[in-house]
Amino acid sequence: TDQDRFFDQSLALEVSSFNSGDAIKIDLGSAVAVSAIALYFSSEETHDLVLYGSANSDMSSASTTNTMLSTFPAGWTIDTFSEDSKRYWALRATGTVANNAEFLIGAKYDFDFEFDLQSIKAKKSGNVITTTYSGSEFSTKKHDPITTWSWKWSFITAAMKTSLETLRDNTEQDRFKFVYYDGSAYHWVRMSADSLQFTEVANNIYSTTMSLTQQLI
């Protein structure tokens, strides 16, 4: 039950009654090449999960794409596998899974070229400052500080431009959240609406910028 929580773009609530032998199926509308899975757990999970792909809605031709046989720590687990193109996908539990709050499948993208030096990593506070008529200030903390990243590429190839356009178009710019790995930790992020606008600075060479904002839930 509550399987919609798997795809609600929120980490606040988990799927419930996800018991041994149960599977949650998704329909991508057409065959899509998939090579990565991202799972978010609110706390440690010890039961295994198996990902199946099929060309048929009844999963009659289902084949095991990836078996995750490990303890899942709290937070994000990202797993990659050989690319497989299927329309229907199902995640099956081998035991009662009580802590799974989000499930993403797709592709893992590594930047073709590193962004320029002088990139910006900052913190944005969750405080609201209220000023009274007498000039006194009061602070209310609405949420923890969130991290922001801002990058610039002065020169990228047409191939990298295509890759970044795919990322931008699949997330619909600032509509869908996704997972970003900074080299040491995974972050739940949203892209800014003005990211990945391209300027041709030489023949088939482009410049662009990209900004991400951490999402707390």
Side-chain angles (χ1 to χ4, degrees):
T1 58
D2 302 315
Q3 62 267 26
D4 57 297
R5 294 176 181 174
F6 242 180
F7 324 106
D8 63 357
Q9 289 278 288
S10 172
L11 309 181
L13 298 172
E14 302 90 0
V15 174
S16 58
S17 301
F18 192 17
N19 299 319
S20 179
D22 289 344
I24 297 178
K25 186 183 74 173
I26 60 174
D27 177 3
L28 298 181
S30 61
V32 175
V34 171
S35 58
I37 182 172
L39 297 162
Y40 183 86
F41 292 88
S42 57
S43 58
E44 183 182 277
E45 177 58 58
T46 58
H47 290 107
D48 301 334
L49 290 166
V50 184
L51 180 67
Y52 296 90
S54 177
N56 306 105
S57 61
D58 62 0
M59 304 299 289
S60 59
S61 64
S63 58
T64 302
T65 298
N66 192 30
T67 302
M68 289 157 281
L69 303 173
S70 63
T71 296
F72 298 97
W76 287 103
T77 291
I78 312 296
D79 204 11
T80 59
F81 44 87
S82 297
E83 185 177 281
D84 194 4
S85 186
K86 296 287 192 301
R87 172 173 174 172
Y88 302 95
W89 297 87
L91 190 67
R92 180 177 179 269
T94 64
T96 299
V97 177
N99 311 310
N100 201 182
E102 201 71 9
F103 166 46
L104 304 173
I105 61 172
K108 176 177 174 286
Y109 171 62
D110 295 310
F111 294 139
D112 300 73
F113 301 99
E114 286 296 317
F115 39 80
D116 295 356
L117 295 176
Q118 299 181 335
S119 62
I120 300 172
K121 180 180 180 181
K123 286 285 188 180
K124 184 165 62 174
S125 78
N127 305 324
V128 175
I129 308 298
T130 303
T131 305
T132 68
Y133 286 109
S134 62
S136 298
E137 289 188 341
F138 298 90
S139 174
T140 301
K141 182 178 179 180
K142 297 179 65 178
H143 56 76
D144 291 335
I146 56 178
T147 304
T148 63
W149 298 264
S150 296
W151 307 310
K152 177 181 179 181
W153 289 271
S154 296
F155 304 98
I156 62 171
T157 63
M160 182 172 177
K161 174 177 177 287
T162 298
S163 297
L164 291 174
E165 286 174 329
T166 299
L167 171 62
R168 180 194 65 192
D169 296 345
N170 285 339
T171 58
E172 296 187 20
Q173 203 80 28
D174 57 350
R175 182 183 179 192
F176 294 118
K177 304 172 189 178
F178 57 98
V179 182
Y180 164 62
Y181 183 65
D182 66 359
S184 60
Y186 293 104
H187 303 277
W188 190 222
V189 300
R190 189 188 301 276
M191 188 188 308
S192 67
D194 58 352
S195 289
L196 302 183
Q197 310 300 316
F198 298 92
T199 301
E200 189 169 15
V201 296
N203 184 38
N204 283 326
I205 300 296
Y206 301 85
S207 67
T208 191
T209 60
M210 183 177 183
S211 298
L212 303 178
T213 301
Q214 178 189 13
Q215 307 294 295
L216 297 180
I217 57 172

